[in-house]
Amino acid sequence: MNVIILSIIVLGLIGIIGATVLYLVAQKFHVHEDPRIDQVEALLPGANCGGCGRSGCRDFAVACVGATTLDGLTCPSSGAEIMKQIGDIVGLTPAVTKPKIAVLKCNGTCDLRPALARFEGAPSCAVLASLGSGESACPNGCLGCGDCVEACPYGAMEIDRATGLPRVIEDKCVGCGACAKACPRSIIELRYKGPRGMRVYVACSNKEKGAIAMKECKVACIGCGKCAKVCPAECITVTSNLAYIDFEKCKLCKKCVDQCPTHAIHAVNFPVKKAEAAEA
């Protein structure tokens, strides 16, 4: 009986000593954290999408509290109002940024881009891209497996079964860029959302020469340069047989849209003119 009582006393003393040592060590190496970090993090969406360029929302909050200026620190998922509240917490003025949206630079739908093979492996764009050109002849087009859809933390993308291409749900997309990072062919771009959602872009990524590009896809950019010639803002360049519209310079005049012989340039959310409506 005495042995049992002695064992209990010894174990109790060891526990007390261990707890005391742990307490002293915790006090010694305790790192004080600014309470504003929790306040800023509470305003963030918590998706950890990486659109701000940080590893997650907590890291972004730490950066905001420790910064001397909020230039370069923007959460695309939060919007201007949330950034203003964050600025009030840290005592800084947030930078004014234009909202962006994901754009698919490919219009090679099932009926416009003939399939030459059928892939029956893992449904992954990354896997398919590592094997070659995919199911169609276009070496730069969308692979259609939906890696971008899986990567979107906001459910702002879905595969359109009729076209075989991912579709951006505009009212959900916050421009975080997760889909662009997931695309192995880099055909998803973040562009300015534009006034009332209006924007003009080249819906193609094919860099083949004109005749070859047209064989691979009926609506491919052929690099003719007609769009660049008529652009009054000089915002269009043609590199490697592919036109590109600088969204920071574009004035949304749509002259390039009318000149494109393959209809590779798309104008989105523009009001329909009466003449166009009647023709349609």
Side-chain angles (χ1 to χ4, degrees):
M1 191 68 178
N2 294 333
V3 175
I4 297 175
I5 295 175
L6 181 61
S7 299
I8 294 173
I9 294 174
V10 171
L11 290 174
L13 290 173
I14 292 174
I16 294 173
I17 294 171
T20 303
V21 171
L22 290 175
Y23 174 77
L24 294 175
V25 170
Q27 293 298 315
K28 176 69 176 179
F29 295 100
H30 172 70
V31 178
H32 174 72
E33 195 172 58
D34 196 319
R36 294 179 298 172
I37 295 176
D38 291 331
Q39 297 176 23
V40 173
E41 186 181 16
L43 295 174
L44 300 174
N48 298 319
C49 61
C52 59
R54 300 283 170 171
S55 60
C57 293
R58 183 72 179 183
D59 187 29
F60 178 76
V62 172
C64 288
V65 172
T68 56
T69 176
L70 291 182
D71 292 343
L73 288 171
T74 303
C75 174
S77 310
S78 299
E81 182 59 32
I82 297 298
M83 285 305 302
K84 182 180 181 302
Q85 295 180 35
I86 292 174
D88 293 339
I89 293 174
V90 300
L92 298 172
T93 301
V96 179
T97 58
K98 296 180 180 179
K100 291 185 177 182
I101 192 172
V103 168
L104 180 68
K105 297 189 295 182
C106 177
N107 193 38
T109 60
C110 300
D111 56 331
L112 297 175
R113 184 178 62 179
L116 302 180
R118 181 177 177 84
F119 180 65
E120 296 184 353
S124 167
C125 295
V127 173
L128 191 54
S130 66
L131 298 177
S133 62
E135 295 184 339
S136 72
C138 182
N140 306 105
C142 177
L143 295 166
C145 294
D147 286 18
C148 51
V149 176
E150 295 294 329
C152 180
Y154 299 98
M157 296 191 77
E158 62 183 7
I159 294 293
D160 189 329
R161 298 302 173 188
T163 63
L165 298 175
R167 183 176 69 87
V168 178
I169 304 173
E170 295 195 17
D171 57 349
K172 291 184 178 181
C173 181
V174 299
C176 69
C179 56
K181 294 177 183 177
C183 180
R185 287 188 167 176
S186 302
I187 63 173
I188 299 179
E189 181 188 18
L190 293 182
R191 299 177 68 90
Y192 286 153
K193 200 166 186 177
R196 299 184 298 281
M198 296 186 297
R199 53 193 177 277
V200 178
Y201 64 95
V202 180
C204 181
S205 299
N206 197 323
K207 297 181 180 179
E208 302 282 6
K209 291 184 178 180
I212 300 176
M214 287 300 293
K215 288 182 180 180
E216 295 172 345
C217 180
K218 296 179 181 179
V219 290
C221 174
I222 57 177
C224 63
K226 289 184 177 180
C227 53
K229 292 178 181 178
V230 300
C231 179
E234 298 182 351
C235 65
I236 303 178
T237 55
V238 180
T239 307
S240 300
N241 308 307
L242 181 64
Y244 178 77
I245 301 175
D246 188 340
F247 57 85
E248 293 187 353
K249 297 179 180 179
C250 181
K251 304 301 183 184
L252 303 177
C253 68
K254 295 202 304 178
K255 290 185 178 180
C256 56
V257 179
D258 299 330
Q259 286 295 318
C260 182
T262 62
H263 306 290
I265 302 179
H266 287 196
V268 182
N269 294 329
F270 282 82
V272 179
K273 297 179 180 179
K274 293 183 179 180
E276 295 177 352
E279 182 179 351

